[in-house]
Amino acid sequence: MDPSDQADIISNLPDVLLVLIISCLSFKECVQTSRLSKRWRSVYLQTRNVSFKESDFLSPSVYANPISWVRARVAFVDYVCSWVARIDDQPIDTFGISISYPKKYLDVIESLIAFAVRKRVKALVLDFSNPAWTTFHDVNLDELVVEIPQSVYDLATLELLKVGACKKFDPAKLSNLGKLKTVSFGCMVLTNFEPFLKTSRVESLTINNCRELDFDTIKGNMREVAIKNCDFSINCTFHLPRVDILKYSGDLFCFEFDNMNTIISEVEFDFRVLDNNNDENDSTTAEGGMLCHLLNNLLDDGGRTATTLTVCPFLLKMIPRSEHPHFLRPMETKHLVLKTELHPREFNGIRLLLVNCPKLETLTIDLLPPSPIATASSYAGIDPQTYWMQNISYECLRETLKAVLVKNFTGGANELHIVKFFIQSECEHLERVELYMPFDLDEGRKMFANAKSEMLQRSSNRVQVVVHNS
């Protein structure tokens, strides 16, 4: 069918169907449809999902010039106000406002929140965080100037709430919202939290970059919990009997797991904030022991398992340096995701996890920037050119491993060494190796990576090597 005919088919649809279509798009994409024709300029205003994100409307170039940045923000706020004025009489399901340095626009923000409450929205996003804040250490309390009004705490229609960089926020006031299922709190002081956890019916909880947490237990019937770079005390206990997805990134504390779900679909640990790339550190033995205890405590005690386990380079480097790395116990994990730079310091950790995942079916090697260089130096007697040539057998390779996936494949030497290891070892059930190139790889490097993938395919008649060009 001719593309112009397809466009005609869409144009011939009634407005009610077009509104349903654009309501499935992101708000940024929805706004872009207004350029299609005069008709679309009225249709796009009828979307029921409205999200004003400063980063979506301001060009990255304006941030380099303070005057341009101020002018762009004024234009953005004017656009928001004019949009809201035009849709005052229509229903809205989702409303969001995300703007940094909000002090100048407190009156506008107050009116926008009142608008969302009046529309009795189901999903509300109020995010005033600074994009430069990457951990709780970066959060400047003096910049927390927006206070959530009582009307939001009383909004009984809410099913999703995201709050970022607000002052005097009290999660306990949300406890009576029976429809609230998804919450996200970020970049602020988070206190009086335990009453909320005890009484709410929330199924998905996300906490990002929060300071001065006054609780050491995360307890409830949540199905999904994600915690990123938060200011805990010295320990934290998880009591999550229904959790299906558990993600943690940040500092390493003493974690305990009590009454957890027996089978957790997805577990991810990311401690890269601790990775300062120092080869010698007096604390590495203790950190390695804590990480081994973390994995044992969550994934072994009581027969618990994670179907998919994702780990970071820091964990790969540290667990072999534990005083007793052999105490790491076997796990029932079927999909292991290694976020790695493929530095020789990580190799023993990779091997240790392969040994302790005897039922592994899929291995994903997610290569992190900077991409591994072809001539990486040796480390502590570990030579990247010969390490994966050792004839070492793993139970998962002999019995269960079916697929190896490599993300951000560029054909570098370290990548080739480890992929060759799996292709040429005794992986009796290995069916395929999938190589995913980065989306921003130039044509010359794509040709190089393709040539290396063909070389890998020639090395095995049994395993299929599949290349995905982004």
Side-chain angles (χ1 to χ4, degrees):
M1 181 180 293
D2 188 273
S4 61
D5 294 335
Q6 293 180 345
D8 288 339
I9 291 175
I10 295 176
S11 298
N12 289 331
L13 293 174
D15 284 2
V16 64
L17 291 181
L18 293 180
V19 171
L20 290 175
I21 292 172
I22 64 173
S23 293
C24 295
L25 302 175
S26 70
F27 187 65
K28 182 179 180 179
E29 293 169 331
C30 173
V31 171
Q32 290 171 344
T33 65
S34 65
R35 304 170 187 169
L36 297 176
S37 68
K38 289 183 178 180
R39 183 189 179 198
W40 282 96
R41 283 200 289 272
S42 62
V43 169
Y44 90 112
L45 289 171
Q46 300 177 53
T47 180
R48 299 174 69 98
N49 302 315
V50 180
S51 176
F52 298 107
K53 293 180 65 176
E54 180 183 24
S55 58
D56 283 347
F57 287 82
L58 270 63
S59 169
S61 61
V62 305
Y63 293 95
N65 186 317
I67 296 177
S68 298
W69 176 70
V70 170
R71 288 174 177 171
R73 279 165 57 88
V74 170
F76 167 64
V77 173
D78 288 345
Y79 177 79
V80 172
C81 294
S82 63
W83 176 293
V84 170
R86 283 184 289 178
I87 61 172
D88 191 60
D89 60 346
Q90 69 185 54
I92 298 293
D93 292 331
T94 299
F95 185 83
I97 177 68
S98 301
I99 184 171
S100 58
Y101 303 103
K103 188 173 183 178
K104 184 178 179 180
Y105 301 107
L106 290 179
D107 290 342
V108 174
I109 291 169
E110 182 179 345
S111 67
L112 293 174
I113 294 175
F115 169 82
V117 171
R118 190 167 65 251
K119 292 295 182 180
R120 301 188 63 77
V121 295
K122 298 178 182 178
L124 180 61
V125 177
L126 304 171
D127 186 3
F128 311 104
S129 59
N130 188 324
W133 297 344
T134 57
T135 74
F136 70 87
H137 296 289
D138 302 323
V139 178
N140 185 349
L141 298 184
D142 292 335
E143 292 184 30
L144 307 185
V145 295
V146 178
E147 190 168 349
I148 300 299
Q150 185 62 41
S151 58
V152 171
Y153 295 115
D154 296 335
L155 188 54
T157 56
L158 276 183
E159 298 174 9
L160 178 150
L161 177 64
K162 178 179 180 180
V163 179
C166 292
K167 70 174 183 178
K168 298 181 181 178
F169 178 70
D170 187 356
K173 292 183 179 181
L174 300 170
S175 300
N176 295 325
L177 299 184
K179 293 184 178 180
L180 188 61
K181 301 299 181 185
T182 302
V183 295
S184 176
F185 308 126
C187 298
M188 56 190 178
V189 174
L190 195 60
T191 58
N192 202 24
F193 197 60
E194 290 190 7
F196 167 73
L197 291 177
K198 289 179 180 179
T199 58
S200 75
R201 300 178 183 177
V202 165
E203 295 181 356
S204 176
L205 170 67
T206 301
I207 309 176
N208 293 329
N209 304 330
C210 284
R211 295 181 54 172
E212 301 177 21
L213 277 63
D214 66 348
F215 56 94
D216 57 11
T217 300
I218 296 179
K219 181 178 181 179
N221 288 319
M222 290 81 74
R223 301 302 298 268
E224 181 175 354
V225 174
I227 299 173
K228 180 179 180 180
N229 296 326
C230 288
D231 183 17
F232 283 101
S233 57
I234 60 173
N235 65 292
C236 183
T237 300
F238 293 88
H239 184 103
L240 303 167
R242 298 181 66 232
V243 71
D244 196 48
I245 299 175
L246 178 62
K247 297 182 179 182
Y248 176 86
S249 63
D251 207 341
L252 180 59
F253 299 98
C254 180
F255 296 101
E256 298 296 335
F257 301 92
D258 181 29
N259 191 21
M260 298 289 288
N261 197 0
T262 303
I263 300 177
I264 307 174
S265 295
E266 185 178 348
V267 171
E268 179 173 350
F269 292 122
D270 187 347
F271 301 101
R272 277 178 285 176
V273 68
L274 298 173
D275 199 346
N276 56 14
N277 293 318
N278 289 332
D279 288 348
E280 300 300 330
N281 191 325
D282 292 339
S283 64
T284 54
T285 297
E287 290 171 334
M290 291 175 69
L291 289 167
C292 288
H293 174 75
L294 171 68
L295 294 175
N296 287 341
N297 194 11
L298 175 60
L299 301 180
D300 178 77
D301 289 3
R304 289 190 294 266
T305 183
T307 304
T308 298
L309 173 63
T310 301
V311 298
C312 65
F314 182 79
L315 184 144
L316 295 175
K317 294 172 187 176
M318 292 299 109
I319 56 174
R321 302 178 77 167
S322 165
E323 187 175 1
H324 303 289
H326 57 282
F327 284 172
L328 185 64
R329 294 192 285 267
M331 299 170 279
E332 300 289 311
T333 295
K334 295 184 178 180
H335 182 193
L336 178 63
V337 181
L338 306 174
K339 292 183 179 291
T340 173
E341 298 171 2
L342 283 186
H343 189 282
R345 292 176 65 193
E346 303 168 22
F347 289 177
N348 285 337
I350 294 174
R351 174 176 290 174
L352 196 58
L353 289 179
L354 289 175
V355 168
N356 286 284
C357 292
K359 297 185 179 180
L360 192 65
E361 296 179 1
T362 302
L363 174 67
T364 296
I365 302 172
D366 189 353
L367 299 170
L368 301 175
S371 298
I373 58 176
T375 56
S377 60
S378 300
Y379 169 79
I382 299 175
D383 186 345
Q385 297 187 35
T386 59
Y387 185 89
W388 297 107
M389 294 180 182
Q390 301 176 46
N391 187 21
I392 298 178
S393 181
Y394 304 90
E395 184 177 345
C396 65
L397 270 61
R398 298 192 307 269
E399 304 293 339
T400 59
L401 188 65
K402 298 178 181 178
V404 174
L405 284 62
V406 182
K407 295 183 178 180
N408 299 314
F409 176 80
T410 61
N414 282 6
E415 304 166 40
L416 297 175
H417 292 321
I418 193 169
V419 174
K420 279 183 183 178
F421 165 74
F422 290 104
I423 290 178
Q424 297 176 354
S425 62
E426 298 178 358
C427 296
E428 298 181 7
H429 300 275
L430 185 62
E431 300 170 354
R432 70 189 191 280
V433 171
E434 298 190 32
L435 308 175
Y436 294 83
M437 296 186 193
F439 72 92
D440 57 351
L441 206 61
D442 61 52
E443 287 303 316
R445 296 181 67 192
K446 278 186 180 179
M447 291 178 62
F448 176 81
N450 275 312
K452 295 300 181 181
S453 67
E454 291 173 1
M455 181 195 70
L456 290 172
Q457 181 63 85
R458 289 194 298 270
S459 68
S460 174
N461 295 323
R462 178 174 51 85
V463 180
Q464 181 183 15
V465 178
V466 182
V467 181
H468 299 273
N469 294 303
S470 300

